[in-house]
Amino acid sequence: EVTHTMVRILSQSLVRMFSKTKRIPLTLVDMHLRHEQLPFGFFFKETLPINDLTESLRQILTNNFSVVGGRICFQEGQSVAIQCEEDDTVSLSHAVSDKTMDYWLNKGHSYSEGGGHPKLLPLFEPLFTPGRHDQSSQNSTDNIGKSAKGSLATFRITHLSCGGTAIGVNFNHAVCDAASCFEFVKCWGLEMRRLEYPKISNNRSRATCAGMATRESTECMVMEELDRKPTSSLISNFFEFMTNILHTSPQQETVNKEITQKTEDHTQGHEYIVLEFEPDLIHAMKRHGIQRQAGNDASGDSFVSTNDMISGYSWLLKRCLSDNQDWCLSMVIDLRGRGGVARFHQDENGVFGNALTNVFCSLAKSSDGGSSFTIHAISLAAVAIRASLTTGIPNISDRVASSRLGTPKPHGNEGRPCFSTTSWSRFPYWKLIQFSDSSKLYGFHGHPSYPLPRGHSFSSVITPNQNGGFSCNLLLPREKVAQARLLHQQAAQDFLEWQQKIDTID
C-alpha cells in the first residue's frame, strides 16, 4: 500500500494486452506534443467493480487500442514511430479516498513556482515528474525499450467515500488528442457493459492529408505502410529534421506557445478557477455577438458560435488581467471533418491520434487603450475569432508548418505573442460515456496540464456542462483570482441586463 494525501493506493498492476508486433509512424504534431499529458477524470455515483474495469480495459487495449501499450522509438534509418510488441503493458492502480466526488471535482492540479509539469491530483498516475522542464523522469517518452519509463498511458481507479468511483486516465499527448481520449473511454464503457463498439484505426498516415507532416515524413510513413524502404536521402533529411525537434527543450517548446506573460520568477503560484456560463447567460452572449456580427458583415452572414463567444470572453479577460492588451489568441482546433481533412475520420470508424492545429486571431486595442472588458469588446473579439476560423481552416491542408506543425515560419499573426485556449465543447461525453446500465457520467475533470514556463501564465479549457451551459477552466496567477471573479460577475450581469432590455423593447 502507498499512501498519498487523501488517497490510499491499494494495488498497482500491469495490464497485459495481446497484440501483434507493429510500428505506427508518428506525425510532426504527435512529436511536438510528446512532452504534454492529458489527465482526464470521469466520475460515477456507484461503486464500479475493479475486476470488471480491469478486464474490460484489457479487452479494448487488445482489440482496439494496442497503440496505447507501445513505446516511442527513435532510431536512425527509420521514421519516428510507436513500437508495439506482443507483451505490451499499461499501468493500472486501484485506490480509495476519504473524500467525495464534489471535493475532487472542485480541485485543480498544482504548479511549482518555477513552472514545469504540474503535480497532478492523486486521482491520476503522472507520466512526468512534477516541476521539471526536462524529461529525466520516470516516464520519459524519448527512451527506447520496453521498460515502464516509456509509458504512453496510465490508469487509476479510485473508490470514494461517498460510494462513487473516479476513473483517472492519463495519456501522453503524442498518442492521442482529447477527442480520441473521449472515444477510448466511451469504448471502455461499452466493453464493460458487453456492448459492441466501433473499430478504431491507428493508421497515422491517414492524418498526413491534414498538413500534419512534411512531404518527406509523409512519404516515409506511406512507404513503411507498404513495407517499402524509403530512400537513404529521404531518411537522412527526415532524421535530421526530427533530431532538431527531439533536441528542443520542453521549456523552449512551451515558451514557443507564448502562453507566458513574463520571464522572471515570481513568488506567487498559480491557481485554477472555474467560470460558469449558465444557459441563460450563453443565450444573451450569443445574441449580442450575432447582433454585432450582423453589423460588421456586409454579406449578411451573422453567425457567431457559443464557442466563439466564450473564447472571446476568456481572451479579453486574460488581456485585462495580464496588462498585455495587444496579445493575440492561439486557438487549438480539432480538424476532424474540417478544412478538407474528412479522410482523417473515414478510415473505418475514425483514427486514434492527434488531429489538431492552431488558428491565430488578432484584435486591436480598444479606444481606451485596451483595458476595456465590456460586453461590446467581448462580442468584437468573438467576431474576430469567427473571421479567423473562416479564413484559417479552409487552407489548413497547405499549411504544413504552423506552430505545432513542423518548423515554425511566420504566417499572419503567428509571430506575435499569444494567449492559448482549448475547447472541448464539441464532445458530447455526458451522453456517450457510461460504465453500467444504471450509472451515467456524474462529473468530468479536465484542466490545462502541460508544462509551464517560469513566470506568470494564463491558460484556459472550455468544457460543456450537463445543464446545457459551459465552464471555462482558467489557470492564472493566484494574485489575480479575486479580480478575475469580480470581472466575470460584472460581465455576466451586464450581458443579462442587456438581454432583458432588448426583450423589453421587443
Side-chain angles (χ1 to χ4, degrees), residues 3-16:
T3 301
H4 295 278
T5 304
M6 296 168 288
V7 168
R8 183 161 53 96
I9 311 298
L10 300 179
S11 64
Q12 190 157 5
S13 59
L14 295 177
V15 177
R16 188 175 302 277

Side-chain angles (χ1 to χ4, degrees), residues 270-310:
H270 287 74
E271 187 172 324
Y272 293 93
I273 62 172
V274 180
L275 306 181
E276 298 292 353
F277 295 82
E278 298 299 328
D280 57 343
L281 175 58
I282 291 294
H283 178 75
M285 291 173 61
K286 191 170 181 180
R287 185 174 180 182
H288 192 281
I290 289 175
Q291 186 181 88
R292 175 65 64 173
Q293 170 74 321
N296 288 359
D297 193 343
S299 68
D301 183 6
S302 59
F303 176 76
V304 173
S305 72
T306 298
N307 198 65
D308 297 338
M309 290 301 302
I310 301 178

Side-chain angles (χ1 to χ4, degrees), residues 433-445:
I433 294 175
Q434 188 171 348
F435 276 74
S436 73
D437 294 336
S438 60
S439 181
K440 294 184 178 180
L441 183 64
Y442 173 81
F444 169 72
H445 186 283

Side-chain angles (χ1 to χ4, degrees), residues 329-331 358-362 388 399 402-403 413-414 418:
L329 182 69
S330 172
M331 297 172 286
N358 284 32
V359 172
F360 292 81
C361 182
S362 63
S388 295
R399 292 173 55 195
S402 166
S403 184
N413 295 305
E414 295 170 20
C418 297

Side-chain angles (χ1 to χ4, degrees), residues 381-444:
V383 170
I385 288 172
R386 175 50 41 186
S388 295
L389 292 173
T390 302
T391 58
I393 290 181
N395 300 321
I396 206 64
S397 59
D398 299 324
R399 292 173 55 195
V400 296
S402 166
S403 184
R404 290 178 174 175
L405 312 185
T407 304
K409 61 182 181 181
H411 180 87
N413 295 305
E414 295 170 20
R416 298 173 57 186
C418 297
F419 297 110
S420 84
T421 186
T422 302
S423 176
W424 301 326
S425 61
R426 297 177 67 196
F427 308 132
Y429 45 79
W430 295 107
K431 299 179 180 178
L432 298 179
I433 294 175
Q434 188 171 348
F435 276 74
S436 73
D437 294 336
S438 60
S439 181
K440 294 184 178 180
L441 183 64
Y442 173 81
F444 169 72

Side-chain angles (χ1 to χ4, degrees), residues 450-464:
Y450 39 74
L452 295 183
R454 295 173 176 86
H456 280 178
S457 296
F458 297 82
S459 184
S460 59
V461 171
I462 300 169
T463 59

Side-chain angles (χ1 to χ4, degrees), residues 228-373:
R228 293 169 52 192
K229 186 176 178 58
T231 63
S232 58
S233 61
L234 181 64
I235 282 290
S236 177
N237 292 337
F238 181 54
F239 183 81
E240 180 181 359
F241 181 78
M242 293 309 302
T243 300
N244 292 334
I245 291 180
L246 287 171
H247 288 172
T248 303
S249 71
Q251 180 181 359
Q252 185 60 43
E253 284 190 354
T254 308
V255 172
N256 285 342
K257 293 179 190 175
E258 298 173 307
I259 60 173
T260 182
Q261 177 192 357
K262 299 177 181 178
T263 56
E264 67 268 20
D265 286 330
H266 290 265
T267 57
Q268 296 293 328
H270 287 74
E271 187 172 324
Y272 293 93
I273 62 172
V274 180
L275 306 181
E276 298 292 353
F277 295 82
E278 298 299 328
D280 57 343
L281 175 58
I282 291 294
H283 178 75
M285 291 173 61
K286 191 170 181 180
R287 185 174 180 182
H288 192 281
I290 289 175
Q291 186 181 88
R292 175 65 64 173
Q293 170 74 321
N296 288 359
D297 193 343
S299 68
D301 183 6
S302 59
F303 176 76
V304 173
S305 72
T306 298
N307 198 65
D308 297 338
M309 290 301 302
I310 301 178
S311 297
Y313 187 106
S314 64
W315 177 17
L316 289 198
L317 180 61
K318 295 169 192 173
R319 297 208 325 180
C320 185
L321 292 171
S322 67
D323 295 326
N324 290 305
Q325 303 298 340
D326 59 346
W327 277 33
C328 302
L329 182 69
S330 172
M331 297 172 286
V332 180
I333 302 298
D334 178 17
L335 288 172
R336 289 171 177 81
R338 292 166 130 171
V341 293
R343 280 185 59 204
F344 190 82
H345 67 122
Q346 288 180 352
D347 190 334
E348 298 181 53
N349 289 286
V351 175
F352 184 76
N354 289 297
L356 302 174
T357 189
N358 284 32
V359 172
F360 292 81
C361 182
S362 63
L363 185 68
K365 290 184 179 180
S366 62
S367 58
D368 64 354
S371 61
S372 176
F373 184 64

Side-chain angles (χ1 to χ4, degrees), residues 23-34 67 71-74 78-83 141-142 152 172-176 202-205 207-208 212-214 216-218 220-221 224 238 242 245-246 352-354:
R23 297 179 78 255
I24 302 173
L26 298 181
T27 69
L28 300 185
V29 171
D30 301 331
M31 292 309 301
H32 275 280
L33 297 176
R34 74 193 186 282
V67 63
R71 303 291 187 268
I72 293 180
C73 182
F74 181 54
Q78 294 180 318
S79 62
V80 182
I82 295 177
Q83 180 68 45
T141 56
D142 288 345
L152 296 177
N172 186 303
H173 211 329
V175 76
C176 71
N202 295 307
N203 184 1
R204 295 301 206 286
S205 65
T208 58
M212 293 182 180
T214 63
E216 291 80 9
S217 63
T218 301
C220 284
M221 294 166 70
E224 287 190 21
F238 181 54
M242 293 309 302
I245 291 180
L246 287 171
F352 184 76
N354 289 297

